[in-house]
């Protein structure tokens, strides 16, 4: 028998199924943007028809890493910066799962930056949500890779001399096939973008602006925000790499000047995911790797032909 | 033991030394002869010298010796590097038409063969090594036809023309020597048998063990001398419904292996010491999230980049103690190439039965050596797979708490909890590197903390009771002279016993494949008058462990030149050490 009865289970899903019985109320600070991510996930998952038991959420270290405690799915809280390799491998082993990775900007763009580049490059079929608050929150307010130039903190009392990372541009250059930015202060857009990201067949990267009212008081609350798709001031084709690149660059430039641009930046529905490409080549079996153990006829498929090449 | 022959080919890196050596090793194996190969990568002098050495006999051979009978020298340096091993019965095959003037010592038979010219006659200068193989066949009275199948295997992909040219090159080499030399003084005659053997190295044995054990996900990053594990699995694991990924670095490799394991596939990664340094970051998470994972460390000489192509057993402490905090792990260390297969199979079972990372600690000497075994040494019917407390859908209910939540870290008598794979109905739970309660949710509550630490440690107690953590024994079990070893030194030690016996010295050899949990050697050490620990490192890491276990000071033989022990050398060292004063308590 299969161990994966939950996968493909077509049933009505109640949003409250994702709320754990223990600790139903998150302990993030009042006003924290992380609530926005949690809420959008709880809304988007039932909307796209994925049950808690066919969903695996891998988190990193930071305030965002508490997500697993407040979202009742299969959850794996990894170490700092390493959520992506764990998540993409789980998807490779069982692509019936809905796999979501989540972490902060330090986790994803700093210590885990190399994994971010390569997971995007390989276009794994998964969703990556970066809680971007432009600060290290859990360790109480140090400069992060997205902190604006000149930002003062306990580790950079004179203001940081570093230019912030450009998350959207980096994502595009690396090879992500769905790239969006949303903000906790815009829950409707956030829910829609998260749902689209989950449904996208490939690496979907959502840079989620999560204001930190406790440690990043300097930062704006990302209000007012502008949706680049809805505003008449912006016009670009999300399927055009060049136009997307230009729009991303402008978005990253103006964020620290007080203009919060959000929306879909790049959508490539054509490129096959890593797994799809490998399947097409016959290098990955059609059924999940783990599924085979439950096939009584398989006899573990071991045989003496392993020895043949050594004779 | 039957007469053995020691053959080698040496030249510069890029001369095709490895592939030529392997062709000859395969031919010998097909002729029903045992082989044991070794590689010289480097040197007393800087540069690209490399050699492939074969020891062959009709009996099984399991170590190298300091003697060379036939040497194919593509450079003068190959001769110079091996002067100590050549003797008055040796023959050196070289190409006198090359620009260097070969200086072959007078007492050694110089066999000047125009390798390049003959190869050109056969179809191309590139085949000069094959001409040399043909010449070697003539000197050793070994039928050149045995090379044919190896040549077909090696060059078959390049077309039948290439294969035929190579066969011709071998025959021309053989004929040239036959016509120009008379070897009545050299009595080399390679006997053949009808026995079938398999020829493989330690990395391949680990890969084969992983496949037989049901490993279906592998993530790795290339590193000498572990890369062959990944290369073996690539292209083969797919036939069994698995997948290999090359990750962007070792941090990713181990985290990917972890992800594959979380999703339910038997998973593995393999690396060497520098990779273990990085992977140690994730070790604690694997252990505390109680995820089954096999981590292979094919040791090479350290520290840092060290001597990447040299032998050392220097990572014992790192695998045994690496990582912050305290958490049990299992460490097994195969002592032979065949054991590389079996210990990998065992490792997968321990990993799932005890839901813990298991290190398989191999070393360069095992990894780069090709050795023959009868096929029965890898009896696939003996492979058993135990997935431990992996719960299937109909077993989930019994592990739910009063509120219907899955107890992924349930506190049990044997310390092992149920494991539900994502996709299992009612099995949803979280797991974390934070200290956690039975449900996997973070906690700093003192009682729960102690409960979980004790539970995890209890797995070791359970394993000690349930499994046999035995050792392999050789020599005279009643001897007062005890020699203890771990890892690849076993072969050289077993052959050293023959030399010692000739000198009237009896020795009991204990070869330990389990580093943790491990056999308690207190009785064995107490029963001996002299106890020596042999290992390829400078500080005696295993000796420290055994001293700690037995509360007894032990003598030590340590080698850290980068070269494995040789049987004759080891016999001399043991003889000397037996008469040495015991170190102060």
């Amino acid at each position: 028998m299969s161990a994966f009865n939950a996968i493909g289970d077509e049933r009505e899903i109640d949003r409250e199924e994702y709320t754990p019985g223990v600790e139903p109320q998150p302990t993030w600070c009042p006003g924290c943007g992380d609530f926005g991510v949690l809420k959008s996930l709880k809304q988007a998952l039932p909307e796209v028809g994925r049950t808690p038991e066919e969903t695996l959420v891998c988190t990193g270290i930071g305030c965002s890493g508490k997500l697993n405690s407040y979202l009742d799915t299969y959850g794996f809280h990894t170490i700092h910066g390493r959520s992506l390799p764990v998540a993409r491998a789980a998807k490779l082993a069982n692509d019936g799962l809905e796999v979501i990775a989540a972490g902060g900007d330090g986790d994803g763009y700093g210590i885990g930056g190399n994994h971010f580049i390569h997971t995007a490059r390989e276009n794994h079929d998964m969703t990556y949500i970066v809680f971007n608050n432009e600060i290290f929150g859990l360790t109480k307010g140090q400069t992060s890779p997205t902190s604006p130039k000149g930002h003062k903190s306990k580790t950079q009392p004179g203001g940081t001399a570093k230019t912030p990372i450009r998350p959207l541009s980096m994502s595009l250059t690396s090879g992500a096939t769905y790239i969006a930015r949303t903000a906790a202060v815009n829950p409707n857009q956030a829910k829609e973008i998260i749902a689209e990201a989950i449904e996208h067949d490939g690496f979907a990267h959502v840079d989620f602006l999560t204001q930190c009212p406790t440690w990043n008081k300097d930062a704006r609350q990302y209000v007012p925000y502008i949706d680049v798709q809805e505003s008449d001031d912006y016009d670009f084709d999300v399927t055009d790499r060049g136009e997307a690149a230009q729009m991303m660059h402008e978005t990253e430039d103006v964020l620290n000047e007080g203009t919060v641009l959000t929306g879909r930046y790049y959508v490539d529905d054509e490129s096959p995911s890593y797994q799809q490409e490998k399947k097409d080549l016959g290098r990955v079996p059609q059924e999940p790797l783990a599924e085979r153990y439950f096939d009584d006829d398989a006899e573990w498929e071991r045989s003496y032909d392993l020895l043949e090449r050594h004779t | 033991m039957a007469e053995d022959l020691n053959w080698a080919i040496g030249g510069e890196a890029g001369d095709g030394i490895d592939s030529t050596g392997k062709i000859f090793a395969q031919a010998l194996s097909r002729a029903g002869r045992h082989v044991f190969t070794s590689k010289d990568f480097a040197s007393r002098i800087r540069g690209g010298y490399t050699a492939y050495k074969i020891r062959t006999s009709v009996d099984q051979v399991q170590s190298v010796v300091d003697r060379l009978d036939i040497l194919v020298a593509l450079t003068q340096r190959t001769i110079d590097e091996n002067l100590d091993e050549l003797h008055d019965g040796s023959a050196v095959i070289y190409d006198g038409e090359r620009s260097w003037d070969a200086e072959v010592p007078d007492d050694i038979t110089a066999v000047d063969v125009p390798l390049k010219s003959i190869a050109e006659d056969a179809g191309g200068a590139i085949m000069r090594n094959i001409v040399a193989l043909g010449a070697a066949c003539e000197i050793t009275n070994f039928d050149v036809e045995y090379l044919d199948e190896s040549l077909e295997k090696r060059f078959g992909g390049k077309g039948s023309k290439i294969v035929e040219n190579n066969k011709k090159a071998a025959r021309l080499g053989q004929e040239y020597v036959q016509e120009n030399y008379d070897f009545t003084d050299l009595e080399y005659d390679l006997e053949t048998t009808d026995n079938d053997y398999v020829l493989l190295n330690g990395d391949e044995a680990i890969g084969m063990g992983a496949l037989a054990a049901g490993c279906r996900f592998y993530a790795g990053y290339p590193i000498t001398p572990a890369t062959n594990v990944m290369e073996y699995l690539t292209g083969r694991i797919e036939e069994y419904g698995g997948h290999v990924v090359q990750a962007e670095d070792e941090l990713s490799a181990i985290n990917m292996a972890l992800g594959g394991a979380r999703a339910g596939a038997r998973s593995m990664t393999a690396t060497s010491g520098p990779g273990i340094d990085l992977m140690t970051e994730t070790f604690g998470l694997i252990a505390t999230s109680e995820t089954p994972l096999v981590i292979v460390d094919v040791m090479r000489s350290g520290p840092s980049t060290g001597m990447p192509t040299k032998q050392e057993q220097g990572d014992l402490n790192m695998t045994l103690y690496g990582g912050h905090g305290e958490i049990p792990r299992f460490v097994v260390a195969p002592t032979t190439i065949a054991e590389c297969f079996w210990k990998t199979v065992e490792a997968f079972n321990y990993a799932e039965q005890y839901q813990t990372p298991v290190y398989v600690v191999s070393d360069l000497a095992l990894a780069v050596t090709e050795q023959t075994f009868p096929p029965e040494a890898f009896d696939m019917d003996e492979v058993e797979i135990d997935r431990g407390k992996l719960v299937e859908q109909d077993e989930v209910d019994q592990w739910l708490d009063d509120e219907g939540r899955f107890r992924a870290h349930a506190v049990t008598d044997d310390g092992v909890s149920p494991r539900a794979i994502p996709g299992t109905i009612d099995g949803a739970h979280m797991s974390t590197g934070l200290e956690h309660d039975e449900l996997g949710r973070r906690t700093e509550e003192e009682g729960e903390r102690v409960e979980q630490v004790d539970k995890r440690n209890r797995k070791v107690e359970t394993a000690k009771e349930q499994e046999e953590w035995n050792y392999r024994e050789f020599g005279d079990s009643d001897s007062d002279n005890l020699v203890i070893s771990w890892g690849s030194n076993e072969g050289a030690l077993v052959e050293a016993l023959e030399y010692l016996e000739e000198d009237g010295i009896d020795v009991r050899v204990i070869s330990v494949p389990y580093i943790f949990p491990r056999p308690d050697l207190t009785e064995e050490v107490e029963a001996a008058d002299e106890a020596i620990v042999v290992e390829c490192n400078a500080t005696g890491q295993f000796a420290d462990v055994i001293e700690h276990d037995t509360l007894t000071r032990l003598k030590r033989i340590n080698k850290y030149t980068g070269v494995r022990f040789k049987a004759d050398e080891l016999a001399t060292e043991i003889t000397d050490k037996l008469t040495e004063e015991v170190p102060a308590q």
Side-chain angles (χ1 to χ4, degrees), chain A residues 86-98:
Chain A
V86 175
R88 75 193 198 217
K91 181 72 179 182
L92 276 171
N94 189 349
D95 70 347
L97 295 172
E98 190 59 58

Side-chain angles (χ1 to χ4, degrees), chain B residues 430-450:
Chain B
M430 66 168 287
S431 215
T432 170
L434 291 163
E435 189 55 273
H436 42 264
D437 61 14
E438 284 199 319
L439 301 175
R441 305 182 64 84
R442 69 183 189 284
T443 182
E444 292 183 358
E445 198 272 312
E446 290 180 24
E448 288 176 334
R449 154 71 176 178
V450 172

Side-chain angles (χ1 to χ4, degrees), chain A residues 1 291-300, chain B residues 392:
Chain A
M1 66 174 283
E291 184 78 67
R292 303 175 81 88
Y293 298 101
F294 301 94
D295 181 353
D296 291 337
D297 301 329
E299 282 285 321
W300 295 85
Chain B
E392 294 193 29

Side-chain angles (χ1 to χ4, degrees), chain B residues 53 119 208 210 287 459 482:
Chain B
K53 297 184 170 178
M208 195 164 77
K459 294 195 278 193
L482 175 64

Side-chain angles (χ1 to χ4, degrees), chain B residues 341-370:
Chain B
F341 175 88
W342 291 109
K343 285 293 168 284
T344 304
V345 171
E346 281 181 40
F348 276 98
N349 284 338
Y350 298 144
E352 288 209 295
Q353 287 170 316
Y354 302 100
Q355 293 169 9
T356 176
V358 180
Y359 282 111
V360 176
V361 182
S362 174
D363 60 40
L364 183 133
L366 292 168
V368 303
T369 297
E370 323 267 349

Side-chain angles (χ1 to χ4, degrees), chain A:
Chain A
M1 66 174 283
S2 168
F4 310 123
N5 300 26
I7 293 173
D9 192 9
E10 303 271 340
R11 61 175 177 84
E12 285 293 307
I13 311 162
D14 184 339
R15 196 177 294 175
E16 281 314 298
E17 285 184 39
Y18 298 93
T19 304
V22 196
E23 217 179 348
Q25 287 303 316
T27 56
W28 288 312
C29 304
C32 176
D34 292 4
F35 287 99
V37 185
L38 177 64
K39 190 177 173 196
S40 60
L41 272 168
K42 283 185 177 181
Q43 289 173 329
L45 279 165
E47 192 175 296
V48 300
R50 300 315 295 255
T51 67
E53 284 150 344
E54 56 184 339
T55 303
L56 174 66
V57 178
C58 297
T59 55
I61 297 295
C63 297
S64 58
K66 292 184 181 173
L67 180 69
N68 287 129
S69 300
Y70 311 135
L71 187 73
D72 200 3
T73 62
Y74 279 95
F76 194 54
H77 183 213
T78 73
I79 51 177
H80 201 25
R82 313 293 170 230
S83 67
L84 283 172
V86 175
R88 75 193 198 217
K91 181 72 179 182
L92 276 171
N94 189 349
D95 70 347
L97 295 172
E98 190 59 58
V99 176
I100 297 166
D105 47 284
D107 196 280
Y109 306 146
I111 190 168
N114 197 29
H115 308 312
F116 175 69
I117 290 169
H118 287 273
T119 312
R121 167 170 87 94
E122 295 170 17
N123 195 28
H124 289 274
D125 182 14
M126 56 174 287
T127 302
Y128 184 38
I129 304 169
V130 179
F131 295 53
N132 182 1
N133 59 6
E134 303 177 74
I135 198 85
F136 279 103
L138 194 65
T139 47
K140 303 186 177 179
Q142 298 78 25
T143 307
S144 91
T146 50
S147 297
K149 191 165 185 171
H151 174 88
K152 290 181 182 176
S153 74
K154 281 184 277 188
T155 50
Q156 299 283 349
T160 177
K162 300 172 187 170
T163 321
I165 283 268
R166 293 177 175 274
L168 306 173
S169 299
M170 184 166 72
S171 190
L172 182 72
T173 309
S174 302
T177 49
Y178 180 95
I179 305 166
R181 169 174 274 175
T182 186
V185 290
N186 190 356
N188 290 334
Q189 184 205 48
K191 183 208 73 176
E192 285 170 18
I193 282 179
I194 295 292
E196 284 171 26
I198 291 172
E199 297 213 280
H200 176 74
D201 296 329
F203 186 67
H205 167 219
V206 180
D207 186 72
F208 206 125
L209 297 173
T210 51
Q211 71 281 357
C212 177
T214 306
W215 300 108
N216 201 3
K217 291 194 166 67
D218 297 347
R220 65 237 104 245
Q221 298 300 300
Y222 305 121
V223 178
Y225 51 83
I226 296 162
D227 185 322
V228 291
Q229 265 81 36
E230 288 181 6
S231 166
D232 294 336
D233 297 340
Y234 305 94
D235 182 27
F236 71 106
D237 178 359
V238 293
T239 65
D240 185 296
R241 179 173 278 272
E243 289 184 24
Q246 211 169 359
M247 191 65 235
M248 287 174 179
H249 211 270
E250 184 180 341
T251 298
E252 289 155 347
D253 280 344
V254 299
L255 177 66
N256 302 133
E257 293 161 9
T259 304
V260 181
L261 302 183
T262 63
R264 292 83 168 159
Y265 284 83
Y266 185 62
V267 182
D268 168 7
D269 285 327
E270 305 298 317
S271 301
S273 69
Y274 173 90
Q275 194 150 3
Q276 191 55 51
E277 199 160 338
K278 287 285 184 184
K279 273 188 176 179
D280 293 346
L281 292 169
R283 308 303 286 175
V284 173
Q286 298 296 323
E287 70 273 34
L289 308 188
E291 184 78 67
R292 303 175 81 88
Y293 298 101
F294 301 94
D295 181 353
D296 291 337
D297 301 329
E299 282 285 321
W300 295 85
E301 299 157 273
R302 61 176 183 275
S303 78
Y304 283 93
D305 63 10
L306 285 170
L307 289 172
E308 271 171 23
R309 93 174 214 172
H310 298 284
T311 55

Side-chain angles (χ1 to χ4, degrees), chain B residues 154-427:
Chain B
R154 177 76 179 82
F155 299 111
K158 297 182 177 178
S160 58
K161 180 91 166 60
I162 302 285
V163 174
E164 289 313 310
N165 285 352
N166 275 280
K167 288 181 181 176
K168 189 175 167 193
R171 280 164 178 75
L172 289 178
Q174 184 255 325
E175 285 161 16
Y176 180 87
V177 174
Q178 192 178 32
E179 286 161 17
N180 294 283
Y181 288 90
D182 175 16
F183 295 114
T184 45
D185 292 346
L186 301 178
E187 295 178 349
Y188 294 115
D189 188 4
L190 290 181
E191 187 188 334
T192 60
T193 77
D194 292 332
N195 298 336
D196 291 324
Y197 296 129
V198 291
L199 177 70
L200 76 174
N201 64 41
D203 277 358
E204 291 168 338
I206 287 170
M208 195 164 77
L211 280 184
C215 174
R216 294 296 175 261
F217 189 77
Y218 177 95
Y221 185 78
I223 185 169
T224 302
T227 313
N228 273 340
V229 176
M230 179 159 60
E231 291 185 353
Y232 176 92
L233 289 171
T234 304
R236 295 188 73 71
I237 200 169
E238 292 88 347
E239 294 168 24
Y240 295 86
H243 190 59
V244 168
V245 283
Q246 181 177 329
E248 62 270 26
D249 54 34
E250 284 98 343
L251 297 168
S252 180
I254 191 148
N255 279 284
M256 287 197 78
L258 171 57
R262 294 297 304 177
R266 280 194 158 195
S267 292
M268 180 171 92
T269 185
T271 185
S272 189
I276 296 288
D277 285 343
L278 292 176
M279 292 185 180
T280 298
E281 182 199 59
T282 303
F283 169 79
L285 173 65
I286 303 163
T288 197
S289 66
E290 307 197 71
T291 310
L293 195 64
V294 175
I295 307 162
V296 178
D297 177 9
V298 187
M299 294 180 289
R300 70 186 209 191
S301 179
S304 189
T305 312
M307 300 193 287
T309 59
K310 291 293 194 174
Q311 159 73 353
E312 194 163 283
Q313 297 175 299
D315 297 353
L316 184 135
N317 284 342
M318 183 162 66
T319 51
L320 197 47
Y321 307 117
H324 64 280
E326 301 171 303
I327 194 147
R329 81 285 310 272
F330 288 18
V331 183
V332 299
T335 56
T336 68
I337 289 167
E339 281 290 295
C340 285
F341 175 88
W342 291 109
K343 285 293 168 284
T344 304
V345 171
E346 281 181 40
F348 276 98
N349 284 338
Y350 298 144
E352 288 209 295
Q353 287 170 316
Y354 302 100
Q355 293 169 9
T356 176
V358 180
Y359 282 111
V360 176
V361 182
S362 174
D363 60 40
L364 183 133
L366 292 168
V368 303
T369 297
E370 323 267 349
Q371 192 181 352
T372 41
F373 294 90
E376 304 84 74
F378 307 95
D379 182 353
M380 300 292 167
D381 294 335
E382 291 290 308
V383 175
E384 282 178 17
I385 288 161
D386 184 345
R387 302 209 73 191
K389 290 193 191 172
L390 180 72
V391 299
E392 294 193 29
Q393 191 60 65
D394 53 358
E395 302 164 324
V396 175
D397 286 358
Q398 51 190 299
W399 291 105
L400 302 180
D401 72 358
D402 296 343
E403 313 271 324
R405 295 169 304 210
F406 187 74
R407 294 158 61 221
H409 298 278
V411 176
T412 56
D413 289 345
D414 61 4
V416 186
S417 309
R419 191 160 68 96
I421 298 174
T424 309
I425 292 174
D426 291 336

